[in-house]
Amino acid sequence: MLEQRIQRHFFDSADLKYAAAETLARPIADAVGAIVGCITAGGKVLACGNGGSAADAQHFAAEFVGRFERERPGLAAIALSVDTSILTAVGNDYGYEVVFSKQVEALGAPGDVLLAISTSGNSANVLAAVEAARRKEMTIVALTGNGGGKLGERLGETDVHICVPHERTVRIQEVHLLVVHCLCDAVDLQLMGEPENA
């Protein structure tokens, strides 16, 4: 019984990835274009999210600043969930809703990209970061699921919405991790060309 339940997780995850591949390929490619344009112009990517989405933001930044699968110079990316002094000071003084937007206001610049991750699309602090990014004339790449929520409704024409077609948080997060890897792989491809052993 337990083994069957475990197998069901694998099957459900695989089924969603197959179903989402065609739907998400175009917006992921659009996000890659936005990120490459930002990086080659000397900009940076700011990434934010809560819980598992914070982990995805940090994972993305680590792959950019360090490396993905090939050696290359580091790319400019910052996860906004990692500085506990900023998070606790801003959360204490202003409220948790602005822990990301305050950082976007301080660190963001026109032409930068905000990678906004929210499985529901309704995280108040991510929505506030999106509004701050808009004021800074940044491009927003949103990773959501379950229809996109309020975040999906607030995106502009030049923003990119990668919305996983599922309602369960666990399944959405699994696809978000795959999307992060797709972004990293495709950015490297655009910057460095095909790997020699491809």
Side-chain angles (χ1 to χ4, degrees):
M1 184 71 173
L2 180 57
E3 289 182 13
Q4 289 177 337
R5 185 180 181 90
I6 291 167
Q7 289 177 3
R8 185 78 258 157
H9 278 289
F10 277 83
F11 297 149
D12 289 349
S13 183
D15 287 346
L16 174 58
K17 287 169 183 168
Y18 276 115
E22 189 173 346
T23 304
L24 299 184
R26 179 73 262 160
I28 292 171
D30 290 343
V32 169
I35 292 169
V36 169
C38 163
I39 294 293
T40 56
K44 60 191 169 297
V45 181
L46 304 179
C48 66
N50 297 286
S53 297
D56 288 339
Q58 290 167 217
H59 188 142
F60 173 85
E63 305 285 23
F64 258 50
V65 173
R67 66 169 179 179
F68 183 54
E69 291 187 311
R70 292 192 276 168
E71 291 296 334
R72 54 148 169 75
L75 305 176
I78 303 168
L80 303 181
S81 55
V82 298
D83 191 321
T84 54
S85 293
I86 290 175
L87 294 174
T88 54
V90 172
N92 184 64
D93 294 346
Y94 300 98
Y96 191 65
E97 186 174 316
V98 298
V99 293
F100 299 141
S101 61
K102 279 282 191 183
Q103 294 182 77
V104 171
E105 290 166 2
L107 302 171
D112 285 349
V113 168
L114 176 69
L115 179 61
I117 310 174
S118 173
T119 57
S120 68
N122 295 321
S123 300
N125 54 10
V126 175
L127 292 170
V130 165
E131 295 309 314
R134 191 168 318 290
R135 292 192 297 272
K136 284 284 187 169
E137 299 177 13
M138 297 169 61
T139 298
I140 297 140
V141 173
L143 267 64
T144 70
N146 198 20
K150 295 175 184 175
L151 179 49
E153 297 169 2
R154 296 185 186 181
L155 298 175
E157 288 183 14
T158 59
D159 299 325
V160 181
H161 191 191
I162 303 169
C163 182
V164 179
H166 207 274
E167 64 286 338
R168 277 187 75 187
T169 297
V170 63
R171 296 285 90 91
I172 296 166
Q173 287 177 330
E174 288 163 0
V175 177
H176 280 183
L177 178 58
L178 179 56
V179 170
V180 165
H181 286 161
C182 288
L183 292 172
C184 293
D185 174 71
V187 167
D188 280 1
L189 177 68
Q190 296 297 308
L191 294 176
M192 298 188 297
E194 291 282 354
E196 292 179 6
N197 59 356

